[in-house]
Amino acid sequence: MARYITITLDKRGVSCRARLLDAEAPRTCRAVWDALPQSGSAYHAKYARNEVYTLVPPFADPKPGRENPTVTPIPGDVVYFGFEAWEIGNPAYGYDEGSEAHSAQGATDLAIFYGRNNLLINGDAGWVPGNVFATIIEGLDEMAAAAQDLWLRGVEGETMTFARA
């Protein structure tokens, strides 16, 4: 039976619905589902292009490892990244001192992709593959418009929440 999650930009009041890809990414789906709800500050990607994400404390034990990985996500992809502290704590990335990016335990990045031509490469680290664990089935157009608003007007005060539907 299919499982679904909602992803919300809380301040903007915009949500989308995504179907978990249990067959393609069972370990990642299990880890995320068991840890929901998750919420944190919203960010618009600096490198990947059409990505909005949140950083939360690591929740998967053990980590799911690579499954259903991509470096070229398409619109509607929902992606999990597990980062060690040294991978994202660079001050040049612009995260506030108190954010999960500066945690000694690293961070989990939960992301959505809302447009085409994304490339998961970071000038400091190289390729950054992520696990595609869900696909947005409702509300992508509304989420894309809200994501563009984040890009144009800023992310300050915005949070992103992942919850069971």
Side-chain angles (χ1 to χ4, degrees):
M1 180 154 106
R3 297 187 292 174
Y4 299 90
I5 59 175
T6 58
I7 304 156
T8 304
L9 290 171
D10 300 304
K11 183 177 172 182
R12 286 167 172 78
V14 176
S15 294
C16 60
R17 180 176 167 97
R19 180 179 47 82
L20 293 184
L21 301 175
D22 284 301
E24 296 87 346
R27 295 184 312 271
T28 307
C29 288
R30 184 172 37 259
V32 171
W33 184 259
D34 290 348
L36 293 178
Q38 291 289 326
S39 186
S41 295
Y43 301 99
H44 195 288
K46 185 174 182 180
Y47 295 104
R49 190 166 176 178
N50 299 301
E51 173 189 3
V52 175
Y53 65 98
T54 189
L55 298 174
V56 298
F59 54 74
D61 187 23
K63 292 179 182 176
R66 289 258 166 82
E67 61 179 0
N68 202 30
T70 190
V71 292
T72 56
I74 61 172
D77 278 351
V78 184
V79 182
Y80 164 100
F81 302 89
F83 290 113
E84 300 298 327
W86 62 268
E87 292 179 291
I88 59 173
N90 183 332
Y93 294 167
Y95 297 113
D96 292 334
E97 258 321 299
S99 82
E100 286 302 321
H102 297 289
S103 169
Q105 62 189 1
T108 296
D109 173 332
L110 297 174
I112 64 167
F113 291 83
Y114 64 89
R116 297 175 51 90
N117 301 319
N118 303 295
L119 189 60
L120 300 180
I121 190 165
N122 176 306
D124 296 328
W127 296 106
V128 185
N131 294 354
V132 180
F133 72 92
T135 187
I136 296 172
I137 59 166
E138 295 173 16
L140 180 58
D141 290 343
E142 296 81 1
M143 189 60 78
Q148 279 297 300
D149 188 62
L150 281 173
W151 178 250
L152 294 172
R153 290 177 183 76
V155 299
E156 189 170 359
E158 183 63 86
T159 55
M160 188 174 198
T161 299
F162 288 70
R164 293 180 183 186

